[in-house]
Amino acid sequence: MMEFRLSGSGGQGLILAGIILAEAAIGDGKEAVQSQSYGPEARGGSSKSEVIISDKTIYYPKVENPDFLLAMTQEALAKYSVDLSQDSILVVDSTLVKEVPAQFKKVYSIPITQMAKEKLGRDLFANIIALGIVAKLTKAVSLKALEQAVLARVPKGTEQTNKQALELGIASIK
């Protein structure tokens, strides 16, 4: 079983990213649950999407011990990293997260938002880039299932750019 927390601010598409991650797991024949929470502000407030992926039945739908945290903002890192263990993987968007506490050992600092703007022209593709990173680092879902889940969820007409975003994320992890 793997527990994921995707966090940032409202409007960054992390709820959608969590839904896509869970759907990719289901596409791979695994069990998955997804939950979400966000502040009262539609944009700008903290938001998080949590996903649990398992080969067995999931009895409790809340993330208790995250194996993976994506922090797209400094505030999200501060708010949602309190229960990370030494072995948890932490991915931060270095475009918006400038300080990472020293206690975290498995840290990947990647300019996700900057990549979205520079390579795809809009920062709204950052969530899909992040999904590529998640899949490559954790191998929790197959890249094929993830691509299918992305293409099934994104707005019509944006499929090619979202596919590029996914590939950018995957390629950013060597």
Side-chain angles (χ1 to χ4, degrees):
M1 181 164 78
M2 275 201 89
E3 298 186 357
F4 297 85
R5 181 175 295 143
L6 312 178
S7 66
S9 64
Q12 287 183 310
L14 295 165
I15 304 297
L16 176 62
I19 291 167
I20 290 170
L21 182 60
E23 288 177 347
I26 291 165
D28 276 337
K30 297 179 181 178
E31 298 288 318
V33 291
Q34 186 272 337
S35 61
Q36 59 208 31
S37 70
Y38 37 87
E41 319 85 347
R43 291 192 174 273
S46 296
S47 80
K48 73 172 173 174
S49 177
E50 294 185 330
V51 180
I52 301 171
I53 297 173
S54 179
D55 292 325
K56 299 184 179 92
T57 303
I58 298 165
Y59 292 103
Y60 186 68
K62 297 276 184 220
V63 167
E64 295 182 291
N65 303 298
D67 300 293
F68 185 97
L69 173 65
L70 168 68
M72 296 288 287
T73 64
Q74 192 74 50
E75 181 189 1
L77 177 60
K79 191 170 182 177
Y80 299 122
S81 65
V82 291
D83 54 358
L84 282 191
S85 76
Q86 291 281 320
D87 298 322
S88 299
I89 297 170
L90 172 61
V91 172
V92 297
D93 181 348
S94 61
T95 313
L96 301 167
V97 177
K98 300 303 179 198
E99 292 173 38
V100 177
Q103 80 250 32
F104 302 119
K105 303 296 175 232
K106 295 180 182 174
V107 179
Y108 295 84
S109 186
I110 302 166
I112 300 168
T113 300
Q114 183 184 334
M115 285 168 55
K117 282 182 187 164
E118 288 176 3
K119 304 254 196 285
L120 304 170
R122 299 187 68 191
D123 59 5
L124 68 89
F125 295 105
N127 63 335
I128 305 300
I129 292 174
L131 279 175
I133 293 166
V134 170
K136 182 79 186 269
L137 282 174
T138 66
K139 311 219 180 338
V141 297
S142 70
L143 299 178
K144 182 175 186 265
L146 183 59
E147 183 179 314
Q148 288 172 334
V150 166
L151 296 178
R153 279 280 176 178
V154 297
K156 294 285 172 248
T158 67
E159 294 92 348
Q160 201 50 48
T161 310
N162 276 290
K163 199 172 165 183
Q164 279 179 277
L166 198 55
E167 289 163 2
L168 271 172
I170 293 164
S172 72
I173 301 298
K174 300 291 179 248

